[in-house]
Amino acid sequence: MLKVTEFAFTGYAVTDLVRAREFYETALNLAPASVFEHDGHGWVEYEVGPHVLAITDMSLDWKPSKDGGGVALEVEDFDKALEWLKSKNVTFYSEPFESPVCHMALISDPDGNSICIHKRKPGHS
């Protein structure tokens, strides 16, 4: 029987690792935890709490896409996060919106991968 114990990582394909790292480390303010390089390509992991977000240009078969999987980044202050991202000229492909349990906005990394900026409302976990 299969029993999943945790998520190992969420990953995004990128076409230019240097440009992608600039975005993830400057616009999203993430610090790399692990960096692997092989044959001129790389894999970078960012640890956020018990989770890992990885970016890579190692596989030519894995293509960036806003229609693929996605990660939602929980932020401490939604409005301040949006101000910060706008100051970094980050592309918003969905303006901020509200659901009964949260606030969200969808942004793109330089390759067009979808990233959700997310803030739960009090009382929702």
Side-chain angles (χ1 to χ4, degrees):
M1 176 172 71
L2 175 71
K3 182 179 178 186
V4 176
T5 60
E6 65 183 13
F7 292 107
F9 67 89
T10 297
Y12 280 126
V14 299
T15 58
D16 181 331
L17 194 58
V18 171
R19 179 184 69 182
R21 286 190 67 181
E22 174 71 18
F23 173 82
Y24 284 87
E25 295 169 23
T26 302
L28 297 183
N29 204 30
L30 298 175
S34 301
V35 178
F36 309 97
E37 296 180 2
H38 180 70
D39 290 336
H41 297 283
W43 177 279
V44 180
E45 294 184 346
Y46 301 97
E47 294 178 1
V48 181
H51 310 287
V52 174
L53 173 61
I55 60 172
T56 185
D57 66 353
M58 285 189 160
S59 174
L60 297 177
D61 295 326
W62 190 10
K63 306 284 187 212
S65 171
K66 78 174 187 73
D67 299 319
V71 66
L73 302 177
E74 187 72 15
V75 296
E76 187 174 87
D77 185 310
F78 188 73
D79 293 329
K80 286 184 181 178
L82 298 183
E83 286 177 27
W84 170 265
L85 293 166
K86 287 177 182 177
S87 79
K88 298 294 183 184
N89 297 315
V90 171
T91 300
F92 284 74
Y93 72 86
S94 170
E95 287 301 313
F97 59 96
E98 185 176 350
S99 81
V101 298
C102 66
H103 295 272
M104 293 183 278
L106 299 172
I107 64 171
S108 294
D109 78 0
D111 283 293
N113 290 309
S114 171
I115 299 169
C116 176
I117 304 303
H118 187 269
K119 179 64 180 169
R120 288 182 194 95
K121 291 181 178 179
H124 298 277
S125 52

